Amino acid sequence: MAARSLSFQTSTISAWPPLIRIGKNHPLPVLRAFQKQTQYKMPAEISIKRTVSGEEQAIQSFVISVFDEFVGPDISQEGLDSFHYFMSLENMAERSKGNIQLAARTADGILVGVAEGRDNSHLTLLFVDKEFHGQGIGRRLFNEFIRIVKENDPSVEKITLNSSLFAFEIYRKMGFVQTAPEFKKVGIRCIPMELQL
């Protein structure tokens, strides 16, 4: 039996159905799903690195797009305008001087996730492209953020953030706990959270 080639999002593997032999010449496929060529959405090969000069415009466009889709519906126009101002190229350049800024990219260079933190302990941004949700990219970005925080200062004991309504359950599943009631700042609804390291 010839091996079948199955196409995946970023890789190709070869496989054929495992067989159980019943008697002398009676193969029985155990996994019939492998008998047909099938498209599977597999996690892409992702690299996570600190951002470098020249990436600002791509990151700005990416973050604003994801923010507007997932956070925008829960906030006012004032909040949208405030966040867009926060993500202006000038503000991004200023923040890059002291903040931890990370980008997740596929093997072919497509930006699929961004994280940023300040004061070596406060996560300010964590966004993942919706096509890559559920693949652990946000967790990997966060883990790299923690690694850098601890490398900078091993005595850091907690990470704080102000969650959007959309991301609250995601952060809770990552181990964050709410530390104060929801509040609104420049039109953006926030829930203070922290994670003990």
Side-chain angles (χ1 to χ4, degrees), residues 9 13 32 40 86 91-92 126 143 151 157-158 168:
Q9 188 173 10
I13 66 167
R32 297 185 188 276
Y40 292 92
F86 176 76
N91 283 333
M92 288 176 65
L126 182 60
N143 287 345
E151 186 178 83
E157 295 181 348
K158 67 182 178 181
F168 178 76

Side-chain angles (χ1 to χ4, degrees), residues 171-187:
Y171 287 128
R172 195 180 61 75
K173 288 177 183 175
M174 291 170 68
F176 281 85
V177 294
Q178 184 172 350
T179 56
E182 177 188 325
F183 68 95
K184 188 181 283 190
K185 183 176 182 180
V186 292

Side-chain angles (χ1 to χ4, degrees), residues 9 13 16 20 54-55 67 86 114 130-131 150 181:
Q9 188 173 10
I13 66 167
W16 70 71
I20 297 176
E55 293 184 307
F67 179 90
F86 176 76
V114 169
K130 70 178 176 182
E131 296 300 321
K150 283 295 203 178

Side-chain angles (χ1 to χ4, degrees), residues 123-189:
L123 188 67
T124 52
L125 300 174
L126 182 60
F127 291 100
V128 175
D129 186 304
K130 70 178 176 182
E131 296 300 321
F132 291 82
H133 284 183
Q135 296 186 27
I137 295 170
R139 171 75 69 174
R140 286 184 57 200
L141 280 162
F142 181 63
N143 287 345
E144 180 63 8
F145 173 74
I146 291 176
R147 187 193 69 74
I148 294 169
V149 164
K150 283 295 203 178
E151 186 178 83
N152 291 342
D153 181 0
S155 69
V156 173
E157 295 181 348
K158 67 182 178 181
I159 301 295
T160 60
L161 59 81
N162 293 318
S163 175
S164 66
L165 301 186
F166 173 81
F168 178 76
E169 282 302 315
I170 297 167
Y171 287 128
R172 195 180 61 75
K173 288 177 183 175
M174 291 170 68
F176 281 85
V177 294
Q178 184 172 350
T179 56
E182 177 188 325
F183 68 95
K184 188 181 283 190
K185 183 176 182 180
V186 292
I188 300 175
R189 298 171 67 184

Side-chain angles (χ1 to χ4, degrees), residues 82-97:
S82 297
F83 187 78
H84 290 188
Y85 176 73
F86 176 76
M87 287 304 298
S88 70
L89 294 177
E90 298 80 14
N91 283 333
M92 288 176 65
E94 185 64 30
R95 293 197 312 274
S96 71
K97 295 172 186 173

